[in-house]
Amino acid sequence: MTTKHPAQHFDPKPVLDLIASIEADLQRLKGLVEQQVEKFDPANPHNKAQDGKLTEEGVECCYRMFDEGKSRYSVSQQMKISFAAATHRFNNWRKLGGTKRQRTLLG
């Protein structure tokens, strides 16, 4: 004959507390990463190479300014590039999808 063991009561509270703690930590980490992703500086010297051309970081900075709705003239002034160069970057930005394009990390 088999003996029945009394059913053990499962307390979900510790598991739910652990999940809530993990979610809070993930939100905090997400906030830290998002802050760094959003920062960009048009005057950053890393935006231009030795030959005066824009680096990948400089191009992304231009694109982020276009994401914010800045004009080509404003971008050319803040990035210290020609209006023609800003127009070129604007056209590339549109081809990549404009505000829906895949952003790259800066820094």
Side-chain angles (χ1 to χ4, degrees):
M1 232 198 245
T2 60
T3 325
K4 276 192 165 180
H5 296 286
Q8 293 182 354
H9 175 68
F10 173 71
D11 184 13
K13 185 171 178 1
V15 175
L16 293 173
D17 288 345
L18 180 61
I19 291 171
S21 172
I22 292 170
E23 286 176 338
D25 287 341
L26 288 173
Q27 287 299 326
R28 183 180 56 79
L29 289 172
K30 183 179 177 184
L32 292 172
V33 171
E34 284 177 343
Q35 286 176 355
Q36 290 182 0
V37 168
E38 293 303 315
K39 289 181 184 176
F40 65 93
D41 179 14
N44 188 334
H46 295 291
N47 290 337
K48 289 188 181 176
Q50 293 286 337
D51 61 3
K53 294 183 180 182
L54 291 177
T55 61
E56 289 181 28
E57 204 165 288
V59 172
E60 180 63 21
C61 187
C62 281
Y63 291 168
R64 292 198 185 186
M65 292 174 76
F66 292 134
D67 288 344
E68 291 180 344
K70 304 269 188 203
S71 69
R72 292 173 289 161
Y73 179 77
S74 176
V75 170
S76 71
Q77 293 296 305
Q78 290 182 29
M79 295 289 299
K80 295 181 177 53
I81 59 176
S82 70
F83 183 76
T87 300
H88 172 72
R89 294 298 169 195
F90 180 75
N91 290 333
N92 285 345
W93 173 78
R94 284 195 317 191
K95 287 177 187 174
L96 292 171
T99 57
K100 296 177 184 173
R101 70 183 170 77
Q102 179 68 40
R103 287 180 162 203
T104 59
L105 291 177
L106 295 175

